[in-house]
mmCIF file of all heavy atoms in Angstrom:
data_model
loop_
_atom_site.group_PDB
_atom_site.id
_atom_site.type_symbol
_atom_site.label_atom_id
_atom_site.label_comp_id
_atom_site.label_asym_id
_atom_site.label_seq_id
_atom_site.Cartn_x
_atom_site.Cartn_y
_atom_site.Cartn_z
ATOM 1 N N LYS B 184 0.456 12.041 31.324
ATOM 2 C CA LYS B 184 0.225 12.422 32.718
ATOM 3 C C LYS B 184 -0.782 13.563 32.716
ATOM 4 O O LYS B 184 -0.430 14.727 32.461
ATOM 5 C CB LYS B 184 1.536 12.842 33.393
ATOM 6 C CG LYS B 184 2.505 11.702 33.591
ATOM 7 C CD LYS B 184 3.732 12.153 34.395
ATOM 8 C CE LYS B 184 4.678 10.973 34.635
ATOM 9 N NZ LYS B 184 5.871 11.377 35.413
ATOM 10 N N ARG B 185 -2.001 13.214 33.043
ATOM 11 C CA ARG B 185 -3.082 14.201 32.996
ATOM 12 C C ARG B 185 -2.825 15.343 33.978
ATOM 13 O O ARG B 185 -3.053 16.505 33.660
ATOM 14 C CB ARG B 185 -4.412 13.533 33.321
ATOM 15 C CG ARG B 185 -5.611 14.458 33.210
ATOM 16 C CD ARG B 185 -6.851 13.785 33.778
ATOM 17 N NE ARG B 185 -7.132 12.532 33.094
ATOM 18 C CZ ARG B 185 -7.826 12.445 31.968
ATOM 19 N NH1 ARG B 185 -8.303 13.529 31.398
ATOM 20 N NH2 ARG B 185 -8.044 11.271 31.424
ATOM 21 N N SER B 186 -2.329 15.001 35.172
ATOM 22 C CA SER B 186 -2.138 16.020 36.215
ATOM 23 C C SER B 186 -1.109 17.070 35.806
ATOM 24 O O SER B 186 -1.143 18.207 36.277
ATOM 25 C CB SER B 186 -1.712 15.359 37.528
ATOM 26 O OG SER B 186 -0.484 14.683 37.355
ATOM 27 N N GLN B 187 -0.189 16.673 34.938
ATOM 28 C CA GLN B 187 0.853 17.592 34.496
ATOM 29 C C GLN B 187 0.621 18.072 33.071
ATOM 30 O O GLN B 187 1.440 18.833 32.542
ATOM 31 C CB GLN B 187 2.224 16.912 34.592
ATOM 32 C CG GLN B 187 2.597 16.512 36.008
ATOM 33 C CD GLN B 187 3.920 15.757 36.072
ATOM 34 O OE1 GLN B 187 4.745 15.830 35.174
ATOM 35 N NE2 GLN B 187 4.121 15.016 37.151
ATOM 36 N N SER B 188 -0.447 17.616 32.451
ATOM 37 C CA SER B 188 -0.728 17.959 31.043
ATOM 38 C C SER B 188 0.506 17.702 30.186
ATOM 39 O O SER B 188 0.910 18.537 29.362
ATOM 40 C CB SER B 188 -1.165 19.422 30.910
ATOM 41 O OG SER B 188 -2.362 19.656 31.615
ATOM 42 N N SER B 189 1.086 16.533 30.387
ATOM 43 C CA SER B 189 2.319 16.233 29.658
ATOM 44 C C SER B 189 2.226 14.900 28.933
ATOM 45 O O SER B 189 1.422 14.016 29.282
ATOM 46 C CB SER B 189 3.512 16.208 30.617
ATOM 47 O OG SER B 189 3.438 15.096 31.491
ATOM 48 N N PHE B 190 3.063 14.775 27.940
ATOM 49 C CA PHE B 190 3.163 13.540 27.152
ATOM 50 C C PHE B 190 4.603 13.448 26.688
ATOM 51 O O PHE B 190 4.935 13.628 25.528
ATOM 52 C CB PHE B 190 2.189 13.595 25.975
ATOM 53 C CG PHE B 190 2.043 12.292 25.215
ATOM 54 C CD1 PHE B 190 1.646 11.133 25.857
ATOM 55 C CD2 PHE B 190 2.271 12.239 23.848
ATOM 56 C CE1 PHE B 190 1.489 9.936 25.162
ATOM 57 C CE2 PHE B 190 2.122 11.051 23.132
ATOM 58 C CZ PHE B 190 1.730 9.897 23.795
ATOM 59 N N ASN B 191 5.506 13.131 27.616
ATOM 60 C CA ASN B 191 6.936 13.126 27.324
ATOM 61 C C ASN B 191 7.359 11.843 26.628
ATOM 62 O O ASN B 191 6.895 10.752 26.955
ATOM 63 C CB ASN B 191 7.734 13.305 28.611
ATOM 64 C CG ASN B 191 7.520 14.679 29.224
ATOM 65 O OD1 ASN B 191 6.944 15.573 28.593
ATOM 66 N ND2 ASN B 191 7.965 14.841 30.458
ATOM 67 N N LEU B 192 8.271 12.008 25.699
ATOM 68 C CA LEU B 192 8.781 10.889 24.916
ATOM 69 C C LEU B 192 10.087 10.412 25.530
ATOM 70 O O LEU B 192 10.954 11.225 25.882
ATOM 71 C CB LEU B 192 9.017 11.348 23.473
ATOM 72 C CG LEU B 192 9.527 10.299 22.484
ATOM 73 C CD1 LEU B 192 8.430 9.283 22.166
ATOM 74 C CD2 LEU B 192 10.007 10.961 21.197
ATOM 75 N N ARG B 193 10.266 9.096 25.615
ATOM 76 C CA ARG B 193 11.470 8.550 26.247
ATOM 77 C C ARG B 193 12.044 7.417 25.409
ATOM 78 O O ARG B 193 11.325 6.726 24.661
ATOM 79 C CB ARG B 193 11.168 8.032 27.652
ATOM 80 C CG ARG B 193 10.608 9.086 28.594
ATOM 81 C CD ARG B 193 10.628 8.604 30.020
ATOM 82 N NE ARG B 193 9.748 7.470 30.232
ATOM 83 C CZ ARG B 193 8.666 7.502 30.986
ATOM 84 N NH1 ARG B 193 8.293 8.644 31.561
ATOM 85 N NH2 ARG B 193 7.937 6.419 31.172
ATOM 86 N N LYS B 194 13.359 7.250 25.578
ATOM 87 C CA LYS B 194 14.033 6.089 25.016
ATOM 88 C C LYS B 194 15.192 5.770 25.934
ATOM 89 O O LYS B 194 15.967 6.658 26.304
ATOM 90 C CB LYS B 194 14.520 6.361 23.593
ATOM 91 C CG LYS B 194 15.092 5.128 22.910
ATOM 92 C CD LYS B 194 15.332 5.330 21.427
ATOM 93 C CE LYS B 194 15.785 4.025 20.776
ATOM 94 N NZ LYS B 194 15.995 4.142 19.318
ATOM 95 N N PRO B 195 15.348 4.503 26.332
ATOM 96 C CA PRO B 195 16.380 4.170 27.325
ATOM 97 C C PRO B 195 17.807 4.276 26.797
ATOM 98 O O PRO B 195 18.722 4.598 27.555
ATOM 99 C CB PRO B 195 16.044 2.729 27.720
ATOM 100 C CG PRO B 195 15.148 2.214 26.652
ATOM 101 C CD PRO B 195 14.467 3.370 26.039
ATOM 102 N N SER B 196 18.004 4.036 25.502
ATOM 103 C CA SER B 196 19.351 4.067 24.952
ATOM 104 C C SER B 196 19.275 4.592 23.517
ATOM 105 O O SER B 196 18.726 3.936 22.629
ATOM 106 C CB SER B 196 19.970 2.668 24.976
ATOM 107 O OG SER B 196 21.261 2.692 24.402
ATOM 108 N N VAL B 197 19.860 5.753 23.306
ATOM 109 C CA VAL B 197 19.730 6.423 22.013
ATOM 110 C C VAL B 197 20.775 5.917 21.026
ATOM 111 O O VAL B 197 21.932 5.669 21.388
ATOM 112 C CB VAL B 197 19.873 7.950 22.205
ATOM 113 C CG1 VAL B 197 19.989 8.661 20.872
ATOM 114 C CG2 VAL B 197 18.685 8.490 22.970
ATOM 115 N N HIS B 198 20.366 5.778 19.787
ATOM 116 C CA HIS B 198 21.265 5.366 18.704
ATOM 117 C C HIS B 198 21.530 6.569 17.816
ATOM 118 O O HIS B 198 20.709 7.476 17.726
ATOM 119 C CB HIS B 198 20.586 4.220 17.925
ATOM 120 C CG HIS B 198 21.464 3.570 16.908
ATOM 121 N ND1 HIS B 198 21.455 3.921 15.576
ATOM 122 C CD2 HIS B 198 22.384 2.588 17.031
ATOM 123 C CE1 HIS B 198 22.326 3.187 14.920
ATOM 124 N NE2 HIS B 198 22.905 2.371 15.770
ATOM 125 N N TRP B 199 22.659 6.564 17.125
ATOM 126 C CA TRP B 199 23.000 7.705 16.270
ATOM 127 C C TRP B 199 21.906 7.961 15.237
ATOM 128 O O TRP B 199 21.659 9.105 14.835
ATOM 129 C CB TRP B 199 24.345 7.495 15.567
ATOM 130 C CG TRP B 199 24.380 6.339 14.604
ATOM 131 C CD1 TRP B 199 24.778 5.078 14.864
ATOM 132 C CD2 TRP B 199 23.960 6.353 13.228
ATOM 133 N NE1 TRP B 199 24.643 4.296 13.746
ATOM 134 C CE2 TRP B 199 24.138 5.047 12.721
ATOM 135 C CE3 TRP B 199 23.458 7.341 12.370
ATOM 136 C CZ2 TRP B 199 23.840 4.702 11.403
ATOM 137 C CZ3 TRP B 199 23.161 7.004 11.053
ATOM 138 C CH2 TRP B 199 23.354 5.687 10.595
ATOM 139 N N SER B 200 21.235 6.902 14.801
ATOM 140 C CA SER B 200 20.194 7.060 13.785
ATOM 141 C C SER B 200 18.941 7.745 14.326
ATOM 142 O O SER B 200 18.024 8.060 13.548
ATOM 143 C CB SER B 200 19.820 5.699 13.196
ATOM 144 O OG SER B 200 19.318 4.847 14.206
ATOM 145 N N ASP B 201 18.881 7.966 15.628
ATOM 146 C CA ASP B 201 17.729 8.673 16.202
ATOM 147 C C ASP B 201 17.823 10.183 16.027
ATOM 148 O O ASP B 201 16.865 10.901 16.316
ATOM 149 C CB ASP B 201 17.588 8.351 17.698
ATOM 150 C CG ASP B 201 17.220 6.906 17.964
ATOM 151 O OD1 ASP B 201 16.443 6.334 17.169
ATOM 152 O OD2 ASP B 201 17.725 6.340 18.956
ATOM 153 N N ALA B 202 18.959 10.672 15.572
ATOM 154 C CA ALA B 202 19.110 12.109 15.342
ATOM 155 C C ALA B 202 18.085 12.562 14.309
ATOM 156 O O ALA B 202 18.049 12.069 13.177
ATOM 157 C CB ALA B 202 20.517 12.414 14.852
ATOM 158 N N ALA B 203 17.225 13.476 14.719
ATOM 159 C CA ALA B 203 16.102 13.899 13.869
ATOM 160 C C ALA B 203 15.350 15.015 14.587
ATOM 161 O O ALA B 203 15.722 15.436 15.675
ATOM 162 C CB ALA B 203 15.162 12.724 13.593
ATOM 163 N N GLU B 204 14.279 15.461 13.963
ATOM 164 C CA GLU B 204 13.368 16.438 14.572
ATOM 165 C C GLU B 204 12.162 15.671 15.086
ATOM 166 O O GLU B 204 11.614 14.819 14.376
ATOM 167 C CB GLU B 204 12.929 17.467 13.522
ATOM 168 C CG GLU B 204 12.210 18.681 14.061
ATOM 169 C CD GLU B 204 13.156 19.777 14.507
ATOM 170 O OE1 GLU B 204 14.344 19.730 14.151
ATOM 171 O OE2 GLU B 204 12.693 20.694 15.224
ATOM 172 N N TYR B 205 11.752 15.991 16.311
ATOM 173 C CA TYR B 205 10.633 15.287 16.930
ATOM 174 C C TYR B 205 9.507 16.274 17.212
ATOM 175 O O TYR B 205 9.725 17.337 17.804
ATOM 176 C CB TYR B 205 11.080 14.604 18.226
ATOM 177 C CG TYR B 205 12.007 13.442 17.961
ATOM 178 C CD1 TYR B 205 13.360 13.648 17.708
ATOM 179 C CD2 TYR B 205 11.525 12.131 17.941
ATOM 180 C CE1 TYR B 205 14.206 12.595 17.429
ATOM 181 C CE2 TYR B 205 12.364 11.065 17.665
ATOM 182 C CZ TYR B 205 13.705 11.311 17.411
ATOM 183 O OH TYR B 205 14.537 10.257 17.125
ATOM 184 N N PHE B 206 8.321 15.897 16.788
ATOM 185 C CA PHE B 206 7.157 16.760 16.947
ATOM 186 C C PHE B 206 6.103 16.086 17.803
ATOM 187 O O PHE B 206 5.731 14.934 17.564
ATOM 188 C CB PHE B 206 6.530 17.085 15.586
ATOM 189 C CG PHE B 206 7.388 17.951 14.715
ATOM 190 C CD1 PHE B 206 8.235 17.386 13.778
ATOM 191 C CD2 PHE B 206 7.324 19.330 14.821
ATOM 192 C CE1 PHE B 206 9.031 18.188 12.969
ATOM 193 C CE2 PHE B 206 8.110 20.138 14.015
ATOM 194 C CZ PHE B 206 8.970 19.561 13.091
ATOM 195 N N CYS B 207 5.622 16.813 18.775
ATOM 196 C CA CYS B 207 4.479 16.400 19.565
ATOM 197 C C CYS B 207 3.233 17.058 18.964
ATOM 198 O O CYS B 207 3.299 18.201 18.486
ATOM 199 C CB CYS B 207 4.672 16.844 21.013
ATOM 200 S SG CYS B 207 3.361 16.376 22.146
ATOM 201 N N ALA B 208 2.125 16.339 18.948
ATOM 202 C CA ALA B 208 0.892 16.901 18.396
ATOM 203 C C ALA B 208 -0.281 16.495 19.263
ATOM 204 O O ALA B 208 -0.281 15.425 19.882
ATOM 205 C CB ALA B 208 0.680 16.432 16.956
ATOM 206 N N VAL B 209 -1.289 17.348 19.280
ATOM 207 C CA VAL B 209 -2.496 17.064 20.055
ATOM 208 C C VAL B 209 -3.721 17.190 19.170
ATOM 209 O O VAL B 209 -3.827 18.129 18.373
ATOM 210 C CB VAL B 209 -2.607 17.993 21.288
ATOM 211 C CG1 VAL B 209 -2.637 19.458 20.883
ATOM 212 C CG2 VAL B 209 -3.823 17.654 22.117
ATOM 213 N N GLY B 210 -4.604 16.231 19.278
ATOM 214 C CA GLY B 210 -5.876 16.279 18.593
ATOM 215 C C GLY B 210 -6.975 16.305 19.630
ATOM 216 O O GLY B 210 -6.773 15.945 20.793
ATOM 217 N N ALA B 211 -8.143 16.730 19.215
ATOM 218 C CA ALA B 211 -9.278 16.798 20.127
ATOM 219 C C ALA B 211 -10.442 16.039 19.524
ATOM 220 O O ALA B 211 -10.644 16.071 18.307
ATOM 221 C CB ALA B 211 -9.666 18.250 20.365
ATOM 222 N N LYS B 212 -11.192 15.377 20.374
ATOM 223 C CA LYS B 212 -12.335 14.602 19.888
ATOM 224 C C LYS B 212 -13.264 15.495 19.094
ATOM 225 O O LYS B 212 -13.684 16.558 19.570
ATOM 226 C CB LYS B 212 -13.074 13.982 21.071
ATOM 227 C CG LYS B 212 -14.172 13.020 20.634
ATOM 228 C CD LYS B 212 -14.793 12.323 21.825
ATOM 229 C CE LYS B 212 -15.841 11.322 21.348
ATOM 230 N NZ LYS B 212 -16.462 10.614 22.486
ATOM 231 N N GLY B 213 -13.547 15.068 17.882
ATOM 232 C CA GLY B 213 -14.424 15.853 17.036
ATOM 233 C C GLY B 213 -13.719 16.907 16.223
ATOM 234 O O GLY B 213 -14.310 17.481 15.302
ATOM 235 N N SER B 214 -12.462 17.168 16.542
ATOM 236 C CA SER B 214 -11.686 18.124 15.751
ATOM 237 C C SER B 214 -10.815 17.346 14.792
ATOM 238 O O SER B 214 -10.105 16.435 15.194
ATOM 239 C CB SER B 214 -10.815 19.001 16.650
ATOM 240 O OG SER B 214 -9.907 19.741 15.858
ATOM 241 N N TYR B 215 -10.854 17.710 13.544
ATOM 242 C CA TYR B 215 -10.127 16.967 12.540
ATOM 243 C C TYR B 215 -8.723 17.502 12.307
ATOM 244 O O TYR B 215 -7.997 16.981 11.479
ATOM 245 C CB TYR B 215 -10.902 16.988 11.228
ATOM 246 C CG TYR B 215 -12.159 16.163 11.262
ATOM 247 C CD1 TYR B 215 -13.236 16.520 12.062
ATOM 248 C CD2 TYR B 215 -12.269 15.018 10.486
ATOM 249 C CE1 TYR B 215 -14.385 15.752 12.080
ATOM 250 C CE2 TYR B 215 -13.415 14.251 10.500
ATOM 251 C CZ TYR B 215 -14.469 14.628 11.306
ATOM 252 O OH TYR B 215 -15.605 13.863 11.328
ATOM 253 N N ILE B 216 -8.356 18.548 12.987
ATOM 254 C CA ILE B 216 -7.103 19.228 12.696
ATOM 255 C C ILE B 216 -6.210 19.209 13.923
ATOM 256 O O ILE B 216 -6.445 19.942 14.883
ATOM 257 C CB ILE B 216 -7.369 20.680 12.263
ATOM 258 C CG1 ILE B 216 -8.309 20.684 11.048
ATOM 259 C CG2 ILE B 216 -6.069 21.381 11.928
ATOM 260 C CD1 ILE B 216 -8.879 22.039 10.740
ATOM 261 N N PRO B 217 -5.166 18.385 13.918
ATOM 262 C CA PRO B 217 -4.259 18.362 15.067
ATOM 263 C C PRO B 217 -3.372 19.596 15.095
ATOM 264 O O PRO B 217 -3.110 20.208 14.063
ATOM 265 C CB PRO B 217 -3.435 17.098 14.834
ATOM 266 C CG PRO B 217 -3.436 16.933 13.353
ATOM 267 C CD PRO B 217 -4.778 17.433 12.871
#
Side-chain angles (χ1 to χ4, degrees):
Chain B
K184 292 186 178 180
R185 184 190 302 275
S186 61
Q187 298 176 20
S188 298
S189 69
F190 189 57
N191 294 349
L192 181 71
R193 301 193 295 246
K194 186 169 185 178
S196 178
V197 170
H198 188 264
W199 64 266
S200 61
D201 293 324
E204 191 86 15
Y205 291 81
F206 292 94
C207 181
V209 59
K212 187 174 183 180
S214 170
Y215 289 67
I216 303 167

